[in-house]
Amino acid sequence: MTASSPSFLRRFGSWGLVILIIAGLVAWMATGVGRAKHGAEPVAALETTPQRFTVSAREQRAEPVRREVAINGTTTPDKLIEIAAQVEGQIVAVGPRKGARLAAGEVIARVDARDLEPQKVRAQATLRTRDLEYQAAAKMRGSGYVTEGDLAARLAALETARADLAVLELRQKNLVIATPAAGILEDRLVEVGDYAKAGQIAARVIEIDPLIVAGTVNETDIRRIRVGDPARAQIQSETLNGRVRFVSAMADEKTRTFTVEIAVDNPGSRIPAGLSARVTIPVQTIAAHRIPASLLTLADDGAVGVKHVVGGKVVFTPTEIVRADGDAVWVGGLPEKILLITRGQGFVAAGSEADVQMEAEPPVAAQGAIPGKS
């Protein structure tokens, strides 16, 4: 065709040039198809080849760890006693001022006796008279001069006299306002000259040894806590040991949390009530792995877990955080021994194959594991 091209072009003009270009393209495409049929690899096939990554990993074993429930609470008194006046009258004397440490039975205030003593003398005399009258009637019971009705009336009068005297003696005893238990006088609400009414609060006494730490836990943790469990309270710079004293059997309607009270030793009542405290309660011992918190991975479904290698393939295992330990966490739910991916976990997906470059186990001793166990 090339030898006759000039005559071809002269005959057909510009249309001849177009025909020659199209013929060349067809020939080039036919040559490419032929190469593909004889084994040439398509570009698309190269792009679908999976890429294999190298990750760093280390072997580690689970250790026995105490699971703890943490509670944020407030210190409260073990007892709050409100002492009321039992009789009506004027305050004629007072005892220690508020803030004082009281022994059981210590006097806080006294009420004026007024004419109580003369009334008591008259009641004692009346009681002796009624007793003599009853004794005389009892001796004459069989003579016919005293009927059974008369004798019963004498006995009733005697018992009434005894009751009247007992009331006066009790009133005399209640003239003294005293604390029924040892504690700290938190407040004294009466002074000399005040007129107290029966039932009026005269003083408040608190007992803060033991000291109570009250807080709330969620519905998951409440099932792990029992009355009598050991506990540890961190109050400012001090750590106090104690035990669980109360576990609520019903959740709060608004917060859906349960109240827990821990009684801790407070020698000398040196730590006051009303302070913030953090309580930890060991609830069980489980096998867990200590890993840096940065190695935790979030799955598409929201599950928190760890990537490790099993048989050359990447595996994602959901885990449960048992406790925190600085920048690391103790997690449960993993096999006893794992090949933990420490670097490159962001480049590999669960189920993919990966080359492993072994890494030495960190020499730093883990905190939180139970000593003497491995």
Side-chain angles (χ1 to χ4, degrees), residues 52 308-315 338-339 351-356:
R52 189 183 183 98
H308 54 108
V309 179
V310 178
K313 287 190 176 183
V314 178
V315 175
I338 63 170
L339 190 57
S352 64
E353 295 184 353
D355 295 323
V356 177

Side-chain angles (χ1 to χ4, degrees), residues 2-324:
T2 55
S4 59
S5 292
S7 60
F8 181 83
L9 291 174
R10 283 194 300 266
R11 183 176 179 182
F12 293 97
S14 59
W15 284 106
L17 178 61
V18 172
I19 293 172
L20 287 176
I21 293 173
I22 292 175
L25 287 174
V26 171
W28 177 79
M29 291 177 64
T31 304
V33 172
R35 283 199 301 267
K37 289 182 179 180
H38 286 82
E41 185 176 358
V43 177
L46 293 174
E47 294 177 349
T48 58
T49 302
Q51 191 172 3
R52 189 183 183 98
F53 288 94
T54 298
V55 297
S56 297
R58 69 165 180 260
E59 287 187 354
Q60 67 177 48
R61 292 180 177 274
E63 300 178 58
V65 177
R66 292 188 182 95
R67 181 197 295 272
E68 294 180 341
V69 174
I71 303 174
N72 292 318
T74 305
T75 59
T76 62
D78 178 39
K79 296 176 182 176
L80 173 58
I81 306 171
E82 292 188 331
I83 305 172
Q86 299 299 308
V87 295
E88 185 174 342
Q90 189 175 30
I91 302 297
V92 295
V94 292
R97 292 189 175 276
K98 62 181 181 179
R101 299 180 185 277
L102 306 177
E106 191 164 347
V107 176
I108 297 174
R110 294 180 184 272
V111 180
D112 185 13
R114 291 194 175 186
D115 58 347
L116 183 61
E117 193 61 35
Q119 292 181 34
K120 185 178 178 182
V121 172
R122 285 195 299 269
Q124 289 172 337
T126 301
L127 177 61
R128 286 194 296 270
T129 300
R130 298 292 179 262
D131 185 49
L132 290 174
E133 290 174 351
Y134 174 74
Q135 296 298 334
K139 291 179 180 179
M140 299 176 63
R141 184 176 186 178
S143 64
Y145 292 99
V146 177
T147 65
E148 291 294 328
D150 292 335
L151 185 61
R154 300 289 185 183
L155 179 60
L158 174 61
E159 294 300 330
T160 300
R162 284 176 177 168
D164 290 342
L165 179 59
V167 169
L168 292 173
E169 289 177 341
L170 179 61
R171 185 170 185 270
Q172 186 179 38
K173 180 181 178 182
N174 288 335
L175 291 174
V176 176
I177 302 174
T179 174
I184 298 174
L185 182 58
E186 181 67 13
D187 203 0
R188 193 187 69 205
L189 304 175
V190 294
E191 296 292 343
V192 174
D194 292 345
Y195 191 85
K197 295 182 179 180
Q200 176 184 339
I201 301 300
R204 292 187 178 91
V205 175
I206 63 172
E207 184 177 340
I208 54 176
D209 184 20
L211 188 66
I212 306 303
V213 181
T216 59
V217 299
N218 59 39
E219 57 188 13
T220 301
D221 290 335
I222 193 66
R223 301 177 63 182
R224 302 188 176 111
I225 301 174
R226 298 288 183 271
V227 172
D229 285 348
R232 183 176 64 256
Q234 185 72 32
I235 305 172
Q236 293 183 339
S237 60
E238 296 199 46
T239 300
L240 304 178
N241 294 320
R243 291 190 176 274
V244 176
R245 186 180 76 165
F246 169 76
V247 178
S248 176
M250 183 174 67
D252 182 271
E253 292 183 0
K254 295 181 180 179
T255 63
R256 307 306 303 168
T257 57
F258 296 79
T259 299
V260 176
E261 293 182 359
I262 298 91
V264 297
D265 296 329
N266 187 22
S269 303
R270 65 183 186 278
I271 298 179
L275 299 180
S276 298
R278 182 170 177 82
V279 176
T280 52
I281 305 174
V283 291
Q284 66 180 143
T285 300
I286 65 172
H289 288 264
R290 183 178 185 271
I291 67 170
S294 58
L295 296 185
L296 293 177
T297 302
L298 190 65
D300 293 338
D301 59 358
V304 176
V306 170
K307 287 181 181 179
H308 54 108
V309 179
V310 178
K313 287 190 176 183
V314 178
V315 175
F316 173 83
T317 301
T319 59
E320 178 187 8
I321 298 177
V322 177
R323 58 182 295 182

Side-chain angles (χ1 to χ4, degrees), residues 358-371:
M358 295 301 296
E359 181 180 291
E361 191 171 348
V364 180
Q367 300 178 358
I370 299 177

